[in-house]
Amino acid sequence: MTEKTSSKDSTSVGAQQHKRSPIGTAMRVLTAVTGSEFAEKYGLRDPLNRVAYEATKTGFKSLGAANRAFTQKSGGGAPQRPAVTPKGYFNLNPDDEQAMIAETVRDFATEILRPAAYDADNAAAAPEEILGRSAELGITMINVPEAFDGAASDRGVVTNALVAEAMAYGDMGLAVPLLAPSGVATTLTNFGSDAQQQTYLPDFAGESVPASAVVVAEPWPLFDAFDLRTKATRVPSGYRLEGVKSFVPNAGSAELFLVGAMLDGRPALFIVESDSEGLSIEADPGMGLRAAGMGRLILDKVSVPAHAILGGEEGDPAVAAYTDVVRLSRLGWSALAAGTAKAVLDYVVPYVNEREAFGEPISNRQAVAFMVATIATEVDSIRLVTLRGASRAEQGLSFAREAALARKLTIDKGLQIGLDGIQLLGGHGFTKEHPVERWYRDLRGAGIGEGVVVL
């Protein structure tokens, strides 16, 4: 014990005596003399302080000069570099398959969705031909297991985030109803029982994908996704659902819903088919995301069988499934916001470079340049946090923190990006001649959306 204590003490701060240089020794002596009564008695303190100051300054100059005495070498060989070894760090570069999927979706979004967005926004509905053409992309199929004729062999949360981002780059309002069935397929694949998967998933891998949505939001102030007003009550045949749900895309045409409700004070998801007795739909257009054809789902004593609860059984499995779905949907909305925010950035940059005032482009003005730079910074912040959360979810790691941060950035920065985009366009930003005013309204919707787009 004595040896251990001695060894420990020898490593403590100040225990090791360092070799003192001549300058250090002289300074130690001068310091001791300056602080003594002898120096005070004979009035030597000030002269000695000046000596110490000059000596220190001269000593540092000498040391500096010595340190700068480099010896030139001829060299001629290859420079030494540290090895770059992949260590599995977080990497934003998609693999070849992901890049191909994202590029295909982005081409579809810019060539098909964006030209149709203006009319779809006015009509508050997505055109049927576009809903049909989206099935040809196979977006839903990539989330259906191969056993059900799908293409999913591994969990593809990052791929889904890239798809949502690319789709919203064209138009978020149209992206939401196009991606909603994919969210249902993802939820059934990740959390559905064997019977639920065999019943519903084969239809999501075919050419005629059923219109469907994960329904969580409710039309109440201070809505909390984990404290729902929609209630599920046990009955002999299974469960009875009562409540009102909002933010349901393509509600009038939907065939299947995954509905969030409270069961014994805990949230869970229930499979509800559109022809269930007691279920009705109301149109509910809003400020943004008008092209999604948003509606309300009225549940008036809707009965569902006992096997309709998602997660396989009541209790912890059902709550865990619901919690993950909500968090994945928040990442989904953030991915949509990242795509639309990038569209805003790509639209305003050429505008401020071409628009002239007082004989020069307005981008030469510092206030304008700083605003554009801020938009670019915030776009990356939303995207990086979202993809990090998607990456962790795909690896089976906790992503609760990233989902919360992504949602916070979407609410605060997404809305600000839309507002700044309008500001940079001046009076044009207020008109429907330019799409930025629509993107601003859609970004507002992304900040309050729950459910629907599940990665």
Side-chain angles (χ1 to χ4, degrees):
M1 181 175 293
T2 303
E3 292 180 359
K4 291 181 179 179
T5 302
S6 175
S7 174
K8 181 178 180 181
D9 291 342
S10 66
T11 62
S12 60
V13 177
Q16 296 291 336
Q17 295 297 323
H18 300 285
K19 184 178 179 180
R20 186 173 288 110
S21 65
I23 291 178
T25 302
M27 290 305 302
R28 183 179 178 86
V29 173
L30 282 172
T31 301
V33 174
T34 302
S36 67
E37 294 181 1
F38 175 81
E40 181 69 27
K41 181 178 180 180
Y42 292 100
L44 298 176
R45 178 163 297 169
D46 289 341
L48 286 173
N49 280 333
R50 284 195 295 273
V51 171
Y53 170 75
E54 293 296 334
T56 304
K57 184 168 68 172
T58 303
F60 286 158
K61 286 181 178 179
S62 300
L63 289 173
N67 288 337
R68 287 193 294 271
F70 301 110
T71 303
Q72 187 68 35
K73 302 295 183 180
S74 59
Q80 300 299 309
R81 306 277 190 252
V84 179
T85 305
K87 297 181 180 179
Y89 294 142
F90 177 56
N91 182 8
L92 286 180
N93 294 322
D95 58 32
D96 292 341
E97 182 178 358
Q98 289 173 329
M100 180 190 67
I101 293 173
E103 183 179 358
T104 301
V105 173
R106 184 155 174 162
D107 289 344
F108 173 81
T110 53
E111 295 173 10
I112 305 298
L113 297 190
R114 190 170 293 186
Y118 177 85
D119 291 335
D121 183 78
N122 287 338
E128 287 296 330
E129 58 271 20
I130 287 183
L131 293 174
R133 291 191 63 175
S134 68
E136 301 173 2
L137 292 174
I139 296 173
T140 304
M141 185 180 295
I142 63 176
N143 294 302
V144 177
E146 295 175 346
F148 301 105
D149 298 325
S153 56
D154 299 312
R155 194 171 183 182
V157 186
V158 174
T159 301
N160 287 338
L162 294 172
V163 167
E165 180 185 358
M167 189 77 78
Y169 185 81
D171 185 72
M172 189 192 299
L174 288 172
V176 170
L178 297 182
L179 294 174
S182 180
V184 173
T186 299
T187 303
L188 289 171
T189 297
N190 292 332
F191 307 105
S193 66
D194 180 56
Q196 291 167 346
Q197 290 184 344
Q198 292 192 39
T199 301
Y200 298 106
L201 281 180
D203 289 332
F204 287 89
E207 295 182 359
S208 179
V209 176
S212 52
V214 178
V215 184
V216 174
E218 296 176 343
W220 317 119
L222 302 177
F223 165 72
D224 182 354
F226 295 96
D227 187 16
L228 305 171
R229 294 194 187 184
T230 302
K231 306 298 181 184
T233 308
R234 292 184 185 84
V235 295
S237 60
Y239 304 96
R240 185 173 61 236
L241 305 178
E242 292 189 71
V244 179
K245 310 301 286 188
S246 61
F247 234 65
V248 184
N250 206 17
S253 304
E255 304 171 63
L256 185 69
F257 305 100
L258 301 184
V259 178
M262 299 296 285
L263 177 64
D264 297 333
R266 307 178 74 184
L269 286 168
F270 297 85
I271 301 174
V272 180
E273 298 182 12
S274 61
D275 59 355
S276 300
E277 185 177 354
L279 185 149
S280 59
I281 303 293
E282 291 182 358
D284 191 25
M287 168 184 164
L289 299 169
R290 291 178 55 82
M294 292 295 186
R296 289 190 181 186
L297 194 64
I298 313 299
L299 302 161
D300 183 14
K301 298 179 181 179
V302 175
S303 296
V304 295
H307 56 74
I309 189 169
L310 206 70
E313 57 183 290
E314 296 180 13
D316 292 339
V319 174
Y322 178 87
T323 301
D324 272 2
V325 166
V326 169
R327 289 171 178 166
L328 288 168
S329 76
R330 289 175 175 176
L331 290 178
W333 282 107
S334 297
L336 291 173
T340 301
K342 184 63 166 62
V344 172
L345 178 65
D346 288 351
Y347 196 89
V348 301
V349 167
Y351 181 89
V352 298
N353 285 332
E354 296 169 6
R355 178 76 170 178
E356 291 191 358
F358 305 104
E360 63 179 358
I362 61 173
S363 58
N364 290 358
R365 303 291 175 177
Q366 202 172 57
V368 172
F370 283 177
M371 191 176 290
V372 174
T374 299
I375 291 176
T377 302
E378 302 301 355
V379 168
D380 273 358
S381 71
I382 297 173
R383 187 171 190 269
L384 288 169
V385 174
T386 300
L387 288 179
R388 177 173 174 81
S391 174
R392 291 184 61 83
E394 187 168 308
Q395 299 174 71
L397 304 173
S398 172
F399 62 99
R401 176 178 177 273
E402 286 73 17
L405 289 174
R407 180 170 175 78
K408 175 65 174 173
L409 287 171
T410 298
I411 293 172
D412 293 346
K413 306 304 181 183
L415 182 61
Q416 189 62 48
I417 288 169
L419 185 61
D420 289 345
I422 290 177
Q423 186 70 24
L424 287 167
L425 266 64
H428 289 160
F430 188 72
T431 68
K432 292 184 178 295
E433 176 187 356
H434 297 269
V436 178
E437 64 85 24
R438 184 176 68 251
W439 295 338
Y440 165 72
R441 292 186 281 111
D442 290 347
L443 285 167
R444 183 67 185 91
I448 61 175
E450 292 279 20
V452 185
V453 184
V454 182
L455 299 185

